[in-house]
Amino acid sequence: MSRETTVNLLLALLLLGAPLVAAGMGEPFYVTLATRVVVLALAAVGLNLALGSGGLLSFGHAAFFGLGGYVAGILATHAFNGEPLFAGIPATTSMPLIWIAAVAVAGLIALPIGAISLRTSGVYFIMITLAFAQMIYYFAISWPAYGGEDGLSMSVRNAFPGVNTAKPLPYFLICYAALMAALLLFRVVEGSRFGSALQAARQNGIRLAAVGIAPFNIRLVAFAASAMITGFAGALYADLNRFVGPSMLSWHMSGELIVLIILGGKGRLFGPVAGAMIFVVFEYVLGGITERWQFFLGLILLGIVLFARGGLLGLLSGKPRHV
Amino acid sequence: MSEPVLEIRDLRKSFGALKATDGVSLELRPGQIHALIGPNGAGKSTLIHQIAGSLKADSGSIRFLGEDISGLDMAARARLGLARSFQISSLAQEFSALRNVMLAVQARQGSSFRFFRQVTSDRDLTEPAMAMLERVDLAARAHVPAAELSHGERRQLEIAIALALSPKAFLFDEPMAGMGPEGSKRLTSFLDGLRHEAPMLLVEHDMDAVFALADRISVLVYGRIIATGTVDEIRSDPDVRRAYLGEAA
Ligand SMILES: Nc1ncnc2c1ncn2[C@@H]1O[C@H](COP(=O)(O)OP(=O)(O)O)[C@@H](O)[C@H]1O
Ligand SMILES: [Mg+2]
């Protein structure tokens, strides 16, 4: 087992163990905090597929995170009011159905956004993805039917068959399982033919084209898949907070997801997990001391970018093994 | 005489005022090694780029296997069977030599939209890729990242990748550059055998290699082909001697 695998396993156990202990000690707040780590990590796993494997610095992934959230919020609101969604389509409070809808919507919106953005690269790609996300953000703000600037509150958490989702620990376990499933999928896809082509597209798109694989198509599929995972996380996030608002769609959110990945280790399987842990712990511990906790996070980020490109995982487990 | 595999007609490409390709026509026939020689800056690489599709020509036509490929992008041309090497090696630097070749094997086998089977344990990829590395004497370095290969090894790797595509034509841009006399000699005899797999358009500065290998030679100067012929014809052409060979042979 490589050192990185060991570190990954320890992180996974820590992330599972801590809330179990907290729940045992009757501290549900920490379970919710851990759920926040898990859901942010899941969102960042999605971005990591585009950014880490594919080298696509999307500054608009909040769009997909927020879309997933709004899908959950809108479906739940309609179901709560006993109205159909539209054109007679019934709303639902079933989490699995909501997830499917969130993933589908994120993917469908990501395809045209990706198809346009991926015509560009570098700074232009960053700016175009940002612009699309901002368009969706302003759309949400100016749509009073779903809360506009105030967002949408959900009176109860959506339902999962056989689980009491209102309690923190069961809901944590659902999210944790989702994260592990996404990490497994990420791992498998990265080692597949598609994953090879995607990594080659990041390393050298011309080389990929020269063997007959069009980088655009590979990147587009990766971008959409990446958006789908982040959209899934958005739906879980809405249910975690029982609230969805435009802030989920804002560029701050996009930036946070990038920060998580860089903190944890770009392109590394558990990079998003490590990053989300640091981020939430900082937010909680330092945030309790000073409102300017992001300043200190910024210092750490600076240190990592300057001295430890591999992020926390790079520090803990050394250089990545070459394949 | 058989149909040309590759047929270029009146190709033109300018960079601002500079005519890098100025009405070039040439043919590559089955079984041939067609060498393209000319001084630095003559437009040889620019021509290769236009054929491979990494640069768009301003005008003119490029036919490959009887089909006009001018409108196709680089990947589509590669899928039709055009395999190229780069004057400055262009590899997936983080991947091992083997994985670089596996990428070509995967491309040749068809879809890259396969998401589950792991490539490193996929013998349909590893075995053909290893066989190509063996052919270019690079098997011992199969697991070394491309970034850590020596200059000469990277050139060999580029050729292994081209071979793995089982192409219908090779486009090689100065494959011997910086290889040293020993490496050049070995590569020369290797390329000699390749003409039976697919014809080759070979840009090369090493005149010993060119004279040993070429069935036909075209001489490019300032974007124009000033002469095309057999080795003997080119060697004795007074214009060529004046314009180019004067300093080389
Ligand atoms: N992308 C480019 N933009 C502007 N000029 C270029 C470009 N590529 C090549 N050139 C110019 O075109 C001419 C031909 O270059 P090149 O095809 O590389 O020559 P060769 O391979 O024969 O040495 C040179 O004068 C070179 O400076
Ligand atoms: Mg050149």
Side-chain angles (χ1 to χ4, degrees), chain B residues 40-41 43-46 87 173-174 203 205:
Chain B
N40 270 327
K44 304 179 296 294
S45 295
T46 303
Q87 181 173 357
D173 195 352
E174 300 196 26
V203 173
H205 269 303

PDB file of all heavy atoms in Angstrom, chain B residues 40-41 43-46 87 173-174 203 205, ligand 2:
ATOM      1  N   ASN B  40      17.055  25.945 -42.655  1.00  0.00           N
ATOM      2  CA  ASN B  40      16.223  26.354 -41.522  1.00  0.00           C
ATOM      3  C   ASN B  40      15.316  27.502 -41.907  1.00  0.00           C
ATOM      4  O   ASN B  40      15.739  28.430 -42.582  1.00  0.00           O
ATOM      5  CB  ASN B  40      17.108  26.805 -40.357  1.00  0.00           C
ATOM      6  CG  ASN B  40      17.432  25.648 -39.454  1.00  0.00           C
ATOM      7  OD1 ASN B  40      16.618  24.741 -39.296  1.00  0.00           O
ATOM      8  ND2 ASN B  40      18.622  25.658 -38.887  1.00  0.00           N
ATOM      9  N   GLY B  41      14.068  27.425 -41.477  1.00  0.00           N
ATOM     10  CA  GLY B  41      13.146  28.505 -41.777  1.00  0.00           C
ATOM     11  C   GLY B  41      12.539  28.412 -43.162  1.00  0.00           C
ATOM     12  O   GLY B  41      11.810  29.307 -43.587  1.00  0.00           O
ATOM     13  N   GLY B  43      10.258  26.422 -44.112  1.00  0.00           N
ATOM     14  CA  GLY B  43       8.826  26.150 -44.040  1.00  0.00           C
ATOM     15  C   GLY B  43       8.493  24.668 -43.991  1.00  0.00           C
ATOM     16  O   GLY B  43       7.346  24.279 -44.230  1.00  0.00           O
ATOM     17  N   LYS B  44       9.461  23.839 -43.633  1.00  0.00           N
ATOM     18  CA  LYS B  44       9.226  22.395 -43.609  1.00  0.00           C
ATOM     19  C   LYS B  44       8.252  22.016 -42.497  1.00  0.00           C
ATOM     20  O   LYS B  44       7.275  21.301 -42.726  1.00  0.00           O
ATOM     21  CB  LYS B  44      10.565  21.648 -43.418  1.00  0.00           C
ATOM     22  CG  LYS B  44      11.610  21.998 -44.469  1.00  0.00           C
ATOM     23  CD  LYS B  44      12.913  21.264 -44.247  1.00  0.00           C
ATOM     24  CE  LYS B  44      13.629  21.613 -42.945  1.00  0.00           C
ATOM     25  NZ  LYS B  44      14.124  23.003 -42.866  1.00  0.00           N
ATOM     26  N   SER B  45       8.533  22.516 -41.299  1.00  0.00           N
ATOM     27  CA  SER B  45       7.638  22.176 -40.177  1.00  0.00           C
ATOM     28  C   SER B  45       6.249  22.755 -40.408  1.00  0.00           C
ATOM     29  O   SER B  45       5.232  22.111 -40.096  1.00  0.00           O
ATOM     30  CB  SER B  45       8.196  22.709 -38.859  1.00  0.00           C
ATOM     31  OG  SER B  45       9.404  22.053 -38.557  1.00  0.00           O
ATOM     32  N   THR B  46       6.206  23.956 -40.951  1.00  0.00           N
ATOM     33  CA  THR B  46       4.909  24.566 -41.241  1.00  0.00           C
ATOM     34  C   THR B  46       4.101  23.686 -42.193  1.00  0.00           C
ATOM     35  O   THR B  46       2.882  23.525 -42.029  1.00  0.00           O
ATOM     36  CB  THR B  46       5.124  25.965 -41.847  1.00  0.00           C
ATOM     37  OG1 THR B  46       5.894  26.740 -40.923  1.00  0.00           O
ATOM     38  CG2 THR B  46       3.811  26.663 -42.116  1.00  0.00           C
ATOM     39  N   GLN B  87       8.908  17.923 -34.305  1.00  0.00           N
ATOM     40  CA  GLN B  87      10.313  18.316 -34.302  1.00  0.00           C
ATOM     41  C   GLN B  87      10.794  18.497 -32.855  1.00  0.00           C
ATOM     42  O   GLN B  87      11.871  18.065 -32.493  1.00  0.00           O
ATOM     43  CB  GLN B  87      10.499  19.619 -35.087  1.00  0.00           C
ATOM     44  CG  GLN B  87      11.956  20.044 -35.131  1.00  0.00           C
ATOM     45  CD  GLN B  87      12.186  21.241 -36.033  1.00  0.00           C
ATOM     46  OE1 GLN B  87      11.271  21.739 -36.680  1.00  0.00           O
ATOM     47  NE2 GLN B  87      13.420  21.698 -36.083  1.00  0.00           N
ATOM     48  N   ASP B 173       9.071  14.779 -38.521  1.00  0.00           N
ATOM     49  CA  ASP B 173       9.750  16.069 -38.602  1.00  0.00           C
ATOM     50  C   ASP B 173      11.083  15.993 -37.853  1.00  0.00           C
ATOM     51  O   ASP B 173      11.112  16.055 -36.625  1.00  0.00           O
ATOM     52  CB  ASP B 173       8.859  17.166 -38.007  1.00  0.00           C
ATOM     53  CG  ASP B 173       9.332  18.567 -38.390  1.00  0.00           C
ATOM     54  OD1 ASP B 173      10.419  18.684 -38.972  1.00  0.00           O
ATOM     55  OD2 ASP B 173       8.597  19.532 -38.090  1.00  0.00           O
ATOM     56  N   GLU B 174      12.151  15.823 -38.593  1.00  0.00           N
ATOM     57  CA  GLU B 174      13.516  15.744 -38.051  1.00  0.00           C
ATOM     58  C   GLU B 174      13.640  14.741 -36.904  1.00  0.00           C
ATOM     59  O   GLU B 174      14.033  15.092 -35.784  1.00  0.00           O
ATOM     60  CB  GLU B 174      13.995  17.138 -37.607  1.00  0.00           C
ATOM     61  CG  GLU B 174      13.999  18.107 -38.765  1.00  0.00           C
ATOM     62  CD  GLU B 174      14.809  19.360 -38.494  1.00  0.00           C
ATOM     63  OE1 GLU B 174      15.746  19.299 -37.670  1.00  0.00           O
ATOM     64  OE2 GLU B 174      14.519  20.390 -39.118  1.00  0.00           O
ATOM     65  N   VAL B 203      11.039  14.876 -43.010  1.00  0.00           N
ATOM     66  CA  VAL B 203      11.831  16.101 -42.949  1.00  0.00           C
ATOM     67  C   VAL B 203      13.106  15.754 -42.209  1.00  0.00           C
ATOM     68  O   VAL B 203      13.037  15.206 -41.104  1.00  0.00           O
ATOM     69  CB  VAL B 203      11.073  17.212 -42.188  1.00  0.00           C
ATOM     70  CG1 VAL B 203      11.971  18.425 -41.983  1.00  0.00           C
ATOM     71  CG2 VAL B 203       9.810  17.594 -42.924  1.00  0.00           C
ATOM     72  N   HIS B 205      17.506  16.805 -41.636  1.00  0.00           N
ATOM     73  CA  HIS B 205      18.692  17.591 -41.952  1.00  0.00           C
ATOM     74  C   HIS B 205      19.914  16.715 -42.198  1.00  0.00           C
ATOM     75  O   HIS B 205      20.864  17.132 -42.835  1.00  0.00           O
ATOM     76  CB  HIS B 205      19.008  18.559 -40.804  1.00  0.00           C
ATOM     77  CG  HIS B 205      18.359  19.885 -40.955  1.00  0.00           C
ATOM     78  ND1 HIS B 205      18.563  20.673 -42.066  1.00  0.00           N
ATOM     79  CD2 HIS B 205      17.503  20.566 -40.156  1.00  0.00           C
ATOM     80  CE1 HIS B 205      17.852  21.787 -41.930  1.00  0.00           C
ATOM     81  NE2 HIS B 205      17.193  21.735 -40.793  1.00  0.00           N
TER      82      HIS B 205
HETATM   83 MG    MG C   2      11.307  22.680 -38.638  1.00  0.00          MG
END
